[in-house]
Amino acid sequence: MKTQLLQKKGILFIGVVFASLSAILARYSHAPAIIISLYRMGWSVLLLLPASLRAPYRNELRSLSPRQAGMCLLSGFFFALHLFFWFESLNHTSIASAAVLLSIEVVFAALGFSFLMGGHLPSLAVAAIVISLGGTILVASSGGGVSSLWGNILALGAAVASAVYTLIGRSVRSRISTTAYTFLLYCTCFGCLLLIALFSGTPLVGYSPRELVITLGLCICCNFLGHSIFSWSLRYFTPSFVSAAKLAEPVFASLIALFLFREVPSLAEIVGGFIILGGLYLYCRVEQSEAQLDLADTDNDNAEACCPKE
């Protein structure tokens, strides 16, 4: 069981690495933020469509209750807001600042899981989140030549939207397969982004083939190898743990940006990155201990049920 848990955490780590490429690929694009988001989700729906039309998933989608379908649609709406705010923030602030502000999602996810979903956060887990948040604040407050208040606000909005869609996903993932949930999530997200583009008057076509390649890369790396893994992991981990794992994204994104765009982080950003990783490591240890305790309690209950004491 411990080996399986480590394997699942390893898969989640892979998702974090690929998701961190989002800001890097978006920085190469010259299209508006809404178009980057729209094309990315368009590719995602197109590539996921063949698998979703297979009999098991097609029947599953048809059998969804109105509440389950509604929750998936609501999750897709907040996912669309997350993408739009995120890509727009990269036009106004640095990759490091945007990435670390996005990681504040863990605070909203943890609070929502505790107060709205009846979850339990040990005091040590709360301390780990506070430590990680402190590192995030340190990095964000360091500023930078390309940082701006508006860009930081947009990144914060992306964090809130991401936390909401993560919490909603947690509530429905236990009863819906990853493929069915992801397909409905992506379709809803694409529809919402299309409406935003139409209402804003943004041209939907006329962009270079280069933009198609970039958004396809975003689709494969960030959606299928990033967010899809996050959705899958919600069956095995709490929303606060998945969000905490994402705290490593700004570290990877900042390192890549250093080599590709010469965005040299300040001393505060470097120190803050180490604090974030330290808090993340502590949270992972707490979550693993809690999972082992829950497993032990379950085994004891099963043993007592099979062999009741006289």
Side-chain angles (χ1 to χ4, degrees):
M1 181 61 68
K2 186 176 181 180
T3 302
Q4 292 179 350
L5 183 61
L6 290 175
Q7 289 175 346
K8 291 181 175 63
K9 287 184 177 180
I11 294 174
L12 178 58
F13 174 79
I14 293 174
V16 172
V17 173
F18 277 101
S20 67
L21 297 177
S22 175
I24 305 301
L25 292 174
R27 184 57 63 87
Y28 282 109
S29 175
H30 301 302
I34 185 62
I35 295 299
I36 299 175
S37 305
L38 181 65
Y39 278 27
R40 167 179 168 174
M41 295 315 302
W43 279 118
S44 301
V45 172
L46 184 64
L47 295 179
L48 195 59
L49 184 60
S52 303
L53 291 178
R54 294 172 56 189
Y57 303 118
R58 185 174 66 249
N59 295 335
E60 183 181 6
L61 290 170
R62 290 175 177 174
S63 63
L64 291 179
S65 67
R67 182 182 182 279
Q68 289 175 328
M71 294 294 284
C72 290
L73 295 177
L74 187 62
S75 182
F77 169 74
F78 280 101
F79 188 35
L81 290 181
H82 160 70
L83 290 178
F84 176 67
F85 289 155
W86 167 243
F87 286 123
E88 185 62 26
S89 72
L90 295 173
N91 293 326
H92 304 279
T93 190
S94 68
I95 290 177
S97 294
V100 294
L101 284 172
L102 182 64
S103 68
I104 298 179
E105 168 199 352
V106 66
V107 176
F108 301 109
L111 293 176
F113 180 65
S114 298
F115 294 106
L116 300 180
M117 302 177 66
H120 169 67
L121 284 177
S123 57
L124 193 56
V126 175
I129 290 175
V130 172
I131 291 173
S132 298
L133 178 59
T136 297
I137 294 175
L138 178 61
V139 176
S141 62
S142 65
V146 292
S147 298
S148 74
L149 177 60
W150 178 237
N152 292 338
I153 291 175
L154 288 171
L156 182 60
V160 174
S162 182
V164 173
Y165 110 79
T166 300
L167 289 170
I168 295 174
R170 170 69 176 185
S171 67
V172 298
R173 278 290 292 110
S174 59
R175 298 177 295 275
I176 304 176
S177 67
T178 300
T179 299
Y181 170 73
T182 303
F183 180 70
L184 195 53
L185 173 75
Y186 288 176
C187 285
T188 305
C189 181
F190 176 79
C192 292
L193 292 170
L194 180 60
L195 289 176
I196 294 175
L198 292 174
F199 278 111
S200 64
T202 306
L204 300 180
V205 295
Y207 302 98
S208 67
R210 179 172 176 270
E211 302 299 336
L212 294 177
V213 174
I214 292 174
T215 51
L216 177 60
L218 284 167
C219 164
I220 295 175
C221 294
C222 306
N223 278 12
F224 292 142
L225 298 176
H227 286 280
S228 291
I229 288 181
F230 297 154
S231 297
W232 168 84
S233 64
L234 289 171
R235 181 182 289 270
Y236 307 101
F237 303 109
T238 64
S240 51
F241 178 77
V242 174
S243 295
K246 296 178 186 178
L247 286 171
E249 284 187 39
V251 179
F252 295 123
S254 299
L255 289 175
I256 297 174
L258 171 64
F259 290 103
L260 295 182
F261 307 119
R262 299 296 186 268
E263 289 190 8
V264 181
S266 64
L267 178 61
E269 290 175 321
I270 296 175
V271 173
F274 280 107
I275 293 176
I276 290 173
L277 286 180
L280 172 61
Y281 176 76
L282 177 60
Y283 190 97
C284 290
R285 292 297 299 269
V286 174
E287 184 77 11
Q288 182 175 358
S289 299
E290 287 291 309
Q292 291 174 347
L293 288 175
D294 290 342
L295 178 61
D297 291 340
T298 300
D299 291 341
N300 290 335
D301 292 341
N302 292 338
E304 291 179 2
C306 295
C307 304
K309 296 179 180 179
E310 296 184 2

